[in-house]
Amino acid sequence: MSDNLTFVHLTDLHVGNPQVQDDQLYSDTSTTLANILAEIKSLVPQPRFIVASGDLTNRGDVGSYEQLKRILADAGLTMPVLFALGNHDRRDGFYPAMLGQTDHGNAPYDHARVIDGIHVIVLDSSVPDKVGGAFEPGQLEWLTAQLDQQPELPKLLVMHHAPALDAKPDMEWESLSIADTESLRQAVAGKHVIGILSGHIHFDRVSNWHGIPVVVGIGQHAATDVTWLHEGLRMLSGASYAIGTLRPSGLSITFAPQPAERRELHSFTFAGMAEMLRKYEASLAAAE
């Protein structure tokens, strides 16, 4: 691994199908992503790779993933792009459209790759028809096997749902489940994990989770108003991506926010949270 290797972290692309009206798509995510990719192409030095940590599309249909592929192709990027899946993604749309696979059996999309001396491990934390994240049987065993491979290499984990920072069951919708968070903590203990890259909550946040940096990004759909979290969720216009740099001293993250007037796009109070989650998960099930 060379000194000062850089990469880009994208998340929550929420690309929509241009042929389908989507009332849950609050901004022009296709244009936002195209603009960000053009900016990435101008970076000096060029990042060695890009990770996109889930919610690649807003509906998870084949047409939305085909739109994502068109945007990526038009950008003319030369570095590899690694994808994770989030709660807005659908495996039955992702596998055939993005990978050309029809025999996936709706299995979690877990994969890993060594790029310039960094072992990038991507975990599928999505749960079909649910907002919060969890692991399916066999995923932690797969992760453990990956962590044991080439132990001298720094490990970078990518997953849509960040590990839970507090043991609050009523907040599991915004993170990996508490039980799987603990299982993850045990799996990574003593391993050379330099960071975890996530999304889902739509605001930039860096946490020290048992000594491991956990980096969450705003994404490209909307920005959570962090000054309003005591009331509920208020989504503003806004987008961001992150540039990661791995130095001999460790990982650093620089956020690259996009211009935004912070216009309100959508909001609801916590009093209506349970009903909002019920309706959202019902809409996911109805889409099957």
Side-chain angles (χ1 to χ4, degrees), residues 230-264:
H230 63 291
E231 295 281 354
L233 288 181
R234 180 171 181 254
M235 307 309 295
L236 309 175
S237 60
S240 178
Y241 67 97
I243 303 169
T245 304
L246 186 57
R247 299 179 170 87
S249 60
L251 177 66
S252 66
I253 294 291
T254 302
F255 294 106
Q258 303 301 290
E261 71 277 18
R262 291 177 62 82
R263 172 174 52 89
E264 181 175 312

PDB file of all heavy atoms in Angstrom, residues 230-264:
ATOM      1  N   HIS A 230     -34.778  16.744  17.990  1.00  0.00           N
ATOM      2  CA  HIS A 230     -35.567  16.615  19.216  1.00  0.00           C
ATOM      3  C   HIS A 230     -37.064  16.589  18.915  1.00  0.00           C
ATOM      4  O   HIS A 230     -37.867  16.138  19.743  1.00  0.00           O
ATOM      5  CB  HIS A 230     -35.259  17.776  20.167  1.00  0.00           C
ATOM      6  CG  HIS A 230     -35.635  19.117  19.631  1.00  0.00           C
ATOM      7  ND1 HIS A 230     -34.973  19.695  18.577  1.00  0.00           N
ATOM      8  CD2 HIS A 230     -36.620  19.986  19.994  1.00  0.00           C
ATOM      9  CE1 HIS A 230     -35.521  20.869  18.310  1.00  0.00           C
ATOM     10  NE2 HIS A 230     -36.520  21.071  19.143  1.00  0.00           N
ATOM     11  N   GLU A 231     -37.458  17.047  17.720  1.00  0.00           N
ATOM     12  CA  GLU A 231     -38.859  17.076  17.323  1.00  0.00           C
ATOM     13  C   GLU A 231     -39.237  15.888  16.443  1.00  0.00           C
ATOM     14  O   GLU A 231     -40.345  15.357  16.537  1.00  0.00           O
ATOM     15  CB  GLU A 231     -39.159  18.368  16.546  1.00  0.00           C
ATOM     16  CG  GLU A 231     -39.027  19.641  17.371  1.00  0.00           C
ATOM     17  CD  GLU A 231     -40.233  19.886  18.255  1.00  0.00           C
ATOM     18  OE1 GLU A 231     -41.220  19.129  18.137  1.00  0.00           O
ATOM     19  OE2 GLU A 231     -40.178  20.825  19.066  1.00  0.00           O
ATOM     20  N   GLY A 232     -38.334  15.506  15.569  1.00  0.00           N
ATOM     21  CA  GLY A 232     -38.617  14.460  14.600  1.00  0.00           C
ATOM     22  C   GLY A 232     -37.606  14.523  13.480  1.00  0.00           C
ATOM     23  O   GLY A 232     -36.434  14.847  13.708  1.00  0.00           O
ATOM     24  N   LEU A 233     -38.046  14.254  12.266  1.00  0.00           N
ATOM     25  CA  LEU A 233     -37.167  14.292  11.111  1.00  0.00           C
ATOM     26  C   LEU A 233     -37.630  15.399  10.168  1.00  0.00           C
ATOM     27  O   LEU A 233     -38.786  15.421   9.737  1.00  0.00           O
ATOM     28  CB  LEU A 233     -37.158  12.952  10.382  1.00  0.00           C
ATOM     29  CG  LEU A 233     -36.433  11.801  11.088  1.00  0.00           C
ATOM     30  CD1 LEU A 233     -36.499  10.547  10.236  1.00  0.00           C
ATOM     31  CD2 LEU A 233     -34.980  12.159  11.398  1.00  0.00           C
ATOM     32  N   ARG A 234     -36.716  16.282   9.858  1.00  0.00           N
ATOM     33  CA  ARG A 234     -36.959  17.365   8.910  1.00  0.00           C
ATOM     34  C   ARG A 234     -35.889  17.264   7.838  1.00  0.00           C
ATOM     35  O   ARG A 234     -34.695  17.373   8.131  1.00  0.00           O
ATOM     36  CB  ARG A 234     -36.903  18.717   9.617  1.00  0.00           C
ATOM     37  CG  ARG A 234     -37.154  19.923   8.726  1.00  0.00           C
ATOM     38  CD  ARG A 234     -37.283  21.191   9.586  1.00  0.00           C
ATOM     39  NE  ARG A 234     -37.535  22.361   8.774  1.00  0.00           N
ATOM     40  CZ  ARG A 234     -36.622  23.310   8.518  1.00  0.00           C
ATOM     41  NH1 ARG A 234     -35.396  23.217   9.035  1.00  0.00           N
ATOM     42  NH2 ARG A 234     -36.931  24.346   7.772  1.00  0.00           N
ATOM     43  N   MET A 235     -36.320  17.022   6.602  1.00  0.00           N
ATOM     44  CA  MET A 235     -35.392  16.813   5.502  1.00  0.00           C
ATOM     45  C   MET A 235     -35.248  18.095   4.708  1.00  0.00           C
ATOM     46  O   MET A 235     -36.246  18.706   4.293  1.00  0.00           O
ATOM     47  CB  MET A 235     -35.874  15.677   4.598  1.00  0.00           C
ATOM     48  CG  MET A 235     -36.187  14.372   5.336  1.00  0.00           C
ATOM     49  SD  MET A 235     -34.858  13.813   6.435  1.00  0.00           S
ATOM     50  CE  MET A 235     -33.574  13.461   5.249  1.00  0.00           C
ATOM     51  N   LEU A 236     -34.003  18.515   4.502  1.00  0.00           N
ATOM     52  CA  LEU A 236     -33.678  19.736   3.789  1.00  0.00           C
ATOM     53  C   LEU A 236     -32.968  19.401   2.482  1.00  0.00           C
ATOM     54  O   LEU A 236     -32.413  18.322   2.319  1.00  0.00           O
ATOM     55  CB  LEU A 236     -32.756  20.614   4.646  1.00  0.00           C
ATOM     56  CG  LEU A 236     -33.198  20.905   6.074  1.00  0.00           C
ATOM     57  CD1 LEU A 236     -32.108  21.675   6.815  1.00  0.00           C
ATOM     58  CD2 LEU A 236     -34.509  21.673   6.093  1.00  0.00           C
ATOM     59  N   SER A 237     -32.986  20.358   1.566  1.00  0.00           N
ATOM     60  CA  SER A 237     -32.180  20.171   0.363  1.00  0.00           C
ATOM     61  C   SER A 237     -30.710  20.169   0.764  1.00  0.00           C
ATOM     62  O   SER A 237     -30.281  20.971   1.581  1.00  0.00           O
ATOM     63  CB  SER A 237     -32.452  21.290  -0.643  1.00  0.00           C
ATOM     64  OG  SER A 237     -32.144  22.555  -0.085  1.00  0.00           O
ATOM     65  N   GLY A 238     -29.969  19.270   0.195  1.00  0.00           N
ATOM     66  CA  GLY A 238     -28.555  19.187   0.539  1.00  0.00           C
ATOM     67  C   GLY A 238     -27.976  17.844   0.143  1.00  0.00           C
ATOM     68  O   GLY A 238     -28.691  16.841   0.059  1.00  0.00           O
ATOM     69  N   ALA A 239     -26.686  17.827  -0.128  1.00  0.00           N
ATOM     70  CA  ALA A 239     -25.992  16.609  -0.523  1.00  0.00           C
ATOM     71  C   ALA A 239     -24.520  16.748  -0.172  1.00  0.00           C
ATOM     72  O   ALA A 239     -24.003  17.852  -0.002  1.00  0.00           O
ATOM     73  CB  ALA A 239     -26.160  16.343  -2.020  1.00  0.00           C
ATOM     74  N   SER A 240     -23.857  15.607  -0.069  1.00  0.00           N
ATOM     75  CA  SER A 240     -22.448  15.609   0.280  1.00  0.00           C
ATOM     76  C   SER A 240     -21.838  14.271  -0.100  1.00  0.00           C
ATOM     77  O   SER A 240     -22.551  13.278  -0.275  1.00  0.00           O
ATOM     78  CB  SER A 240     -22.272  15.854   1.789  1.00  0.00           C
ATOM     79  OG  SER A 240     -20.922  15.810   2.172  1.00  0.00           O
ATOM     80  N   TYR A 241     -20.534  14.258  -0.249  1.00  0.00           N
ATOM     81  CA  TYR A 241     -19.795  13.002  -0.334  1.00  0.00           C
ATOM     82  C   TYR A 241     -18.530  13.172   0.497  1.00  0.00           C
ATOM     83  O   TYR A 241     -18.279  14.252   1.045  1.00  0.00           O
ATOM     84  CB  TYR A 241     -19.489  12.603  -1.780  1.00  0.00           C
ATOM     85  CG  TYR A 241     -18.522  13.501  -2.516  1.00  0.00           C
ATOM     86  CD1 TYR A 241     -17.171  13.179  -2.608  1.00  0.00           C
ATOM     87  CD2 TYR A 241     -18.956  14.665  -3.151  1.00  0.00           C
ATOM     88  CE1 TYR A 241     -16.274  13.991  -3.302  1.00  0.00           C
ATOM     89  CE2 TYR A 241     -18.077  15.479  -3.854  1.00  0.00           C
ATOM     90  CZ  TYR A 241     -16.742  15.143  -3.913  1.00  0.00           C
ATOM     91  OH  TYR A 241     -15.860  15.935  -4.594  1.00  0.00           O
ATOM     92  N   ALA A 242     -17.772  12.112   0.638  1.00  0.00           N
ATOM     93  CA  ALA A 242     -16.587  12.178   1.482  1.00  0.00           C
ATOM     94  C   ALA A 242     -15.368  11.651   0.749  1.00  0.00           C
ATOM     95  O   ALA A 242     -15.473  10.729  -0.079  1.00  0.00           O
ATOM     96  CB  ALA A 242     -16.790  11.376   2.770  1.00  0.00           C
ATOM     97  N   ILE A 243     -14.240  12.261   1.035  1.00  0.00           N
ATOM     98  CA  ILE A 243     -12.956  11.806   0.505  1.00  0.00           C
ATOM     99  C   ILE A 243     -12.178  11.197   1.665  1.00  0.00           C
ATOM    100  O   ILE A 243     -11.924  11.861   2.673  1.00  0.00           O
ATOM    101  CB  ILE A 243     -12.166  12.971  -0.106  1.00  0.00           C
ATOM    102  CG1 ILE A 243     -12.979  13.651  -1.205  1.00  0.00           C
ATOM    103  CG2 ILE A 243     -10.829  12.470  -0.655  1.00  0.00           C
ATOM    104  CD1 ILE A 243     -12.394  14.962  -1.678  1.00  0.00           C
ATOM    105  N   GLY A 244     -11.845   9.928   1.535  1.00  0.00           N
ATOM    106  CA  GLY A 244     -11.062   9.254   2.557  1.00  0.00           C
ATOM    107  C   GLY A 244      -9.600   9.221   2.169  1.00  0.00           C
ATOM    108  O   GLY A 244      -9.258   9.028   0.997  1.00  0.00           O
ATOM    109  N   THR A 245      -8.743   9.417   3.144  1.00  0.00           N
ATOM    110  CA  THR A 245      -7.299   9.333   2.914  1.00  0.00           C
ATOM    111  C   THR A 245      -6.704   8.404   3.965  1.00  0.00           C
ATOM    112  O   THR A 245      -6.912   8.610   5.167  1.00  0.00           O
ATOM    113  CB  THR A 245      -6.629  10.713   3.022  1.00  0.00           C
ATOM    114  OG1 THR A 245      -7.258  11.621   2.116  1.00  0.00           O
ATOM    115  CG2 THR A 245      -5.140  10.619   2.689  1.00  0.00           C
ATOM    116  N   LEU A 246      -5.997   7.401   3.502  1.00  0.00           N
ATOM    117  CA  LEU A 246      -5.324   6.486   4.419  1.00  0.00           C
ATOM    118  C   LEU A 246      -3.840   6.814   4.422  1.00  0.00           C
ATOM    119  O   LEU A 246      -3.140   6.637   3.421  1.00  0.00           O
ATOM    120  CB  LEU A 246      -5.547   5.036   4.014  1.00  0.00           C
ATOM    121  CG  LEU A 246      -4.987   4.005   5.002  1.00  0.00           C
ATOM    122  CD1 LEU A 246      -5.584   4.210   6.392  1.00  0.00           C
ATOM    123  CD2 LEU A 246      -5.244   2.594   4.515  1.00  0.00           C
ATOM    124  N   ARG A 247      -3.400   7.332   5.546  1.00  0.00           N
ATOM    125  CA  ARG A 247      -2.000   7.685   5.754  1.00  0.00           C
ATOM    126  C   ARG A 247      -1.360   6.649   6.687  1.00  0.00           C
ATOM    127  O   ARG A 247      -2.068   5.853   7.312  1.00  0.00           O
ATOM    128  CB  ARG A 247      -1.898   9.068   6.386  1.00  0.00           C
ATOM    129  CG  ARG A 247      -2.492  10.191   5.548  1.00  0.00           C
ATOM    130  CD  ARG A 247      -2.355  11.531   6.276  1.00  0.00           C
ATOM    131  NE  ARG A 247      -2.707  12.654   5.416  1.00  0.00           N
ATOM    132  CZ  ARG A 247      -3.940  13.121   5.262  1.00  0.00           C
ATOM    133  NH1 ARG A 247      -4.946  12.570   5.928  1.00  0.00           N
ATOM    134  NH2 ARG A 247      -4.181  14.146   4.457  1.00  0.00           N
ATOM    135  N   PRO A 248      -0.042   6.681   6.811  1.00  0.00           N
ATOM    136  CA  PRO A 248       0.594   5.795   7.792  1.00  0.00           C
ATOM    137  C   PRO A 248       0.063   6.016   9.206  1.00  0.00           C
ATOM    138  O   PRO A 248       0.058   5.091  10.027  1.00  0.00           O
ATOM    139  CB  PRO A 248       2.078   6.170   7.679  1.00  0.00           C
ATOM    140  CG  PRO A 248       2.237   6.653   6.276  1.00  0.00           C
ATOM    141  CD  PRO A 248       0.955   7.387   5.965  1.00  0.00           C
ATOM    142  N   SER A 249      -0.438   7.227   9.487  1.00  0.00           N
ATOM    143  CA  SER A 249      -0.967   7.524  10.827  1.00  0.00           C
ATOM    144  C   SER A 249      -2.395   7.052  11.009  1.00  0.00           C
ATOM    145  O   SER A 249      -2.907   7.019  12.133  1.00  0.00           O
ATOM    146  CB  SER A 249      -0.896   9.033  11.086  1.00  0.00           C
ATOM    147  OG  SER A 249      -1.668   9.747  10.117  1.00  0.00           O
ATOM    148  N   GLY A 250      -3.086   6.687   9.915  1.00  0.00           N
ATOM    149  CA  GLY A 250      -4.461   6.213  10.025  1.00  0.00           C
ATOM    150  C   GLY A 250      -5.375   6.856   9.008  1.00  0.00           C
ATOM    151  O   GLY A 250      -4.943   7.535   8.073  1.00  0.00           O
ATOM    152  N   LEU A 251      -6.686   6.657   9.186  1.00  0.00           N
ATOM    153  CA  LEU A 251      -7.701   7.117   8.251  1.00  0.00           C
ATOM    154  C   LEU A 251      -8.174   8.525   8.607  1.00  0.00           C
ATOM    155  O   LEU A 251      -8.443   8.824   9.770  1.00  0.00           O
ATOM    156  CB  LEU A 251      -8.903   6.165   8.284  1.00  0.00           C
ATOM    157  CG  LEU A 251     -10.112   6.532   7.414  1.00  0.00           C
ATOM    158  CD1 LEU A 251      -9.754   6.463   5.930  1.00  0.00           C
ATOM    159  CD2 LEU A 251     -11.293   5.612   7.728  1.00  0.00           C
ATOM    160  N   SER A 252      -8.283   9.379   7.605  1.00  0.00           N
ATOM    161  CA  SER A 252      -8.923  10.680   7.787  1.00  0.00           C
ATOM    162  C   SER A 252     -10.026  10.821   6.758  1.00  0.00           C
ATOM    163  O   SER A 252      -9.964  10.249   5.666  1.00  0.00           O
ATOM    164  CB  SER A 252      -7.922  11.827   7.673  1.00  0.00           C
ATOM    165  OG  SER A 252      -7.403  11.916   6.359  1.00  0.00           O
ATOM    166  N   ILE A 253     -11.061  11.601   7.104  1.00  0.00           N
ATOM    167  CA  ILE A 253     -12.220  11.797   6.238  1.00  0.00           C
ATOM    168  C   ILE A 253     -12.443  13.289   6.046  1.00  0.00           C
ATOM    169  O   ILE A 253     -12.486  14.053   7.025  1.00  0.00           O
ATOM    170  CB  ILE A 253     -13.488  11.165   6.841  1.00  0.00           C
ATOM    171  CG1 ILE A 253     -13.351   9.635   6.895  1.00  0.00           C
ATOM    172  CG2 ILE A 253     -14.730  11.564   6.059  1.00  0.00           C
ATOM    173  CD1 ILE A 253     -13.369   8.945   5.545  1.00  0.00           C
ATOM    174  N   THR A 254     -12.605  13.704   4.800  1.00  0.00           N
ATOM    175  CA  THR A 254     -12.926  15.088   4.481  1.00  0.00           C
ATOM    176  C   THR A 254     -14.264  15.115   3.762  1.00  0.00           C
ATOM    177  O   THR A 254     -14.442  14.444   2.740  1.00  0.00           O
ATOM    178  CB  THR A 254     -11.846  15.705   3.565  1.00  0.00           C
ATOM    179  OG1 THR A 254     -10.579  15.625   4.206  1.00  0.00           O
ATOM    180  CG2 THR A 254     -12.171  17.154   3.248  1.00  0.00           C
ATOM    181  N   PHE A 255     -15.228  15.858   4.299  1.00  0.00           N
ATOM    182  CA  PHE A 255     -16.543  15.942   3.674  1.00  0.00           C
ATOM    183  C   PHE A 255     -16.546  17.033   2.607  1.00  0.00           C
ATOM    184  O   PHE A 255     -15.950  18.097   2.786  1.00  0.00           O
ATOM    185  CB  PHE A 255     -17.624  16.222   4.722  1.00  0.00           C
ATOM    186  CG  PHE A 255     -17.812  15.089   5.688  1.00  0.00           C
ATOM    187  CD1 PHE A 255     -17.356  15.185   6.988  1.00  0.00           C
ATOM    188  CD2 PHE A 255     -18.425  13.915   5.293  1.00  0.00           C
ATOM    189  CE1 PHE A 255     -17.521  14.141   7.889  1.00  0.00           C
ATOM    190  CE2 PHE A 255     -18.591  12.857   6.175  1.00  0.00           C
ATOM    191  CZ  PHE A 255     -18.134  12.968   7.481  1.00  0.00           C
ATOM    192  N   ALA A 256     -17.239  16.752   1.507  1.00  0.00           N
ATOM    193  CA  ALA A 256     -17.333  17.683   0.387  1.00  0.00           C
ATOM    194  C   ALA A 256     -18.806  18.020   0.149  1.00  0.00           C
ATOM    195  O   ALA A 256     -19.467  17.428  -0.715  1.00  0.00           O
ATOM    196  CB  ALA A 256     -16.715  17.078  -0.866  1.00  0.00           C
ATOM    197  N   PRO A 257     -19.365  18.960   0.919  1.00  0.00           N
ATOM    198  CA  PRO A 257     -20.780  19.308   0.756  1.00  0.00           C
ATOM    199  C   PRO A 257     -21.035  20.016  -0.566  1.00  0.00           C
ATOM    200  O   PRO A 257     -20.184  20.749  -1.067  1.00  0.00           O
ATOM    201  CB  PRO A 257     -21.056  20.227   1.944  1.00  0.00           C
ATOM    202  CG  PRO A 257     -19.726  20.812   2.286  1.00  0.00           C
ATOM    203  CD  PRO A 257     -18.722  19.743   1.977  1.00  0.00           C
ATOM    204  N   GLN A 258     -22.225  19.796  -1.108  1.00  0.00           N
ATOM    205  CA  GLN A 258     -22.648  20.458  -2.329  1.00  0.00           C
ATOM    206  C   GLN A 258     -23.450  21.713  -2.004  1.00  0.00           C
ATOM    207  O   GLN A 258     -24.055  21.804  -0.935  1.00  0.00           O
ATOM    208  CB  GLN A 258     -23.499  19.500  -3.169  1.00  0.00           C
ATOM    209  CG  GLN A 258     -22.794  18.202  -3.520  1.00  0.00           C
ATOM    210  CD  GLN A 258     -21.521  18.432  -4.306  1.00  0.00           C
ATOM    211  OE1 GLN A 258     -21.571  18.824  -5.466  1.00  0.00           O
ATOM    212  NE2 GLN A 258     -20.373  18.181  -3.682  1.00  0.00           N
ATOM    213  N   PRO A 259     -23.465  22.702  -2.889  1.00  0.00           N
ATOM    214  CA  PRO A 259     -24.240  23.920  -2.615  1.00  0.00           C
ATOM    215  C   PRO A 259     -25.710  23.596  -2.375  1.00  0.00           C
ATOM    216  O   PRO A 259     -26.308  22.787  -3.092  1.00  0.00           O
ATOM    217  CB  PRO A 259     -24.065  24.739  -3.897  1.00  0.00           C
ATOM    218  CG  PRO A 259     -22.823  24.211  -4.535  1.00  0.00           C
ATOM    219  CD  PRO A 259     -22.763  22.754  -4.192  1.00  0.00           C
ATOM    220  N   ALA A 260     -26.308  24.220  -1.357  1.00  0.00           N
ATOM    221  CA  ALA A 260     -27.716  23.968  -1.033  1.00  0.00           C
ATOM    222  C   ALA A 260     -28.264  25.149  -0.251  1.00  0.00           C
ATOM    223  O   ALA A 260     -27.553  25.762   0.558  1.00  0.00           O
ATOM    224  CB  ALA A 260     -27.872  22.685  -0.222  1.00  0.00           C
ATOM    225  N   GLU A 261     -29.545  25.444  -0.469  1.00  0.00           N
ATOM    226  CA  GLU A 261     -30.183  26.543   0.252  1.00  0.00           C
ATOM    227  C   GLU A 261     -30.910  26.071   1.510  1.00  0.00           C
ATOM    228  O   GLU A 261     -31.536  26.857   2.199  1.00  0.00           O
ATOM    229  CB  GLU A 261     -31.171  27.269  -0.667  1.00  0.00           C
ATOM    230  CG  GLU A 261     -32.430  26.492  -1.016  1.00  0.00           C
ATOM    231  CD  GLU A 261     -32.264  25.508  -2.160  1.00  0.00           C
ATOM    232  OE1 GLU A 261     -31.109  25.154  -2.482  1.00  0.00           O
ATOM    233  OE2 GLU A 261     -33.283  25.072  -2.726  1.00  0.00           O
ATOM    234  N   ARG A 262     -30.792  24.761   1.832  1.00  0.00           N
ATOM    235  CA  ARG A 262     -31.414  24.181   3.022  1.00  0.00           C
ATOM    236  C   ARG A 262     -32.932  24.407   3.037  1.00  0.00           C
ATOM    237  O   ARG A 262     -33.531  24.723   4.055  1.00  0.00           O
ATOM    238  CB  ARG A 262     -30.762  24.724   4.306  1.00  0.00           C
ATOM    239  CG  ARG A 262     -29.336  24.230   4.496  1.00  0.00           C
ATOM    240  CD  ARG A 262     -28.671  24.822   5.733  1.00  0.00           C
ATOM    241  NE  ARG A 262     -29.342  24.464   6.965  1.00  0.00           N
ATOM    242  CZ  ARG A 262     -29.178  23.317   7.615  1.00  0.00           C
ATOM    243  NH1 ARG A 262     -28.357  22.412   7.125  1.00  0.00           N
ATOM    244  NH2 ARG A 262     -29.815  23.084   8.732  1.00  0.00           N
ATOM    245  N   ARG A 263     -33.541  24.228   1.885  1.00  0.00           N
ATOM    246  CA  ARG A 263     -34.992  24.342   1.757  1.00  0.00           C
ATOM    247  C   ARG A 263     -35.648  23.076   2.300  1.00  0.00           C
ATOM    248  O   ARG A 263     -35.188  21.969   2.044  1.00  0.00           O
ATOM    249  CB  ARG A 263     -35.345  24.539   0.293  1.00  0.00           C
ATOM    250  CG  ARG A 263     -36.824  24.487  -0.044  1.00  0.00           C
ATOM    251  CD  ARG A 263     -37.033  24.845  -1.511  1.00  0.00           C
ATOM    252  NE  ARG A 263     -36.185  24.025  -2.374  1.00  0.00           N
ATOM    253  CZ  ARG A 263     -36.545  22.842  -2.869  1.00  0.00           C
ATOM    254  NH1 ARG A 263     -37.729  22.310  -2.547  1.00  0.00           N
ATOM    255  NH2 ARG A 263     -35.722  22.168  -3.662  1.00  0.00           N
ATOM    256  N   GLU A 264     -36.743  23.206   3.057  1.00  0.00           N
ATOM    257  CA  GLU A 264     -37.418  22.033   3.606  1.00  0.00           C
ATOM    258  C   GLU A 264     -38.086  21.240   2.490  1.00  0.00           C
ATOM    259  O   GLU A 264     -38.814  21.784   1.664  1.00  0.00           O
ATOM    260  CB  GLU A 264     -38.460  22.423   4.648  1.00  0.00           C
ATOM    261  CG  GLU A 264     -39.155  21.207   5.248  1.00  0.00           C
ATOM    262  CD  GLU A 264     -40.108  21.530   6.384  1.00  0.00           C
ATOM    263  OE1 GLU A 264     -39.710  22.284   7.304  1.00  0.00           O
ATOM    264  OE2 GLU A 264     -41.252  21.025   6.355  1.00  0.00           O
TER     265      GLU A 264
END
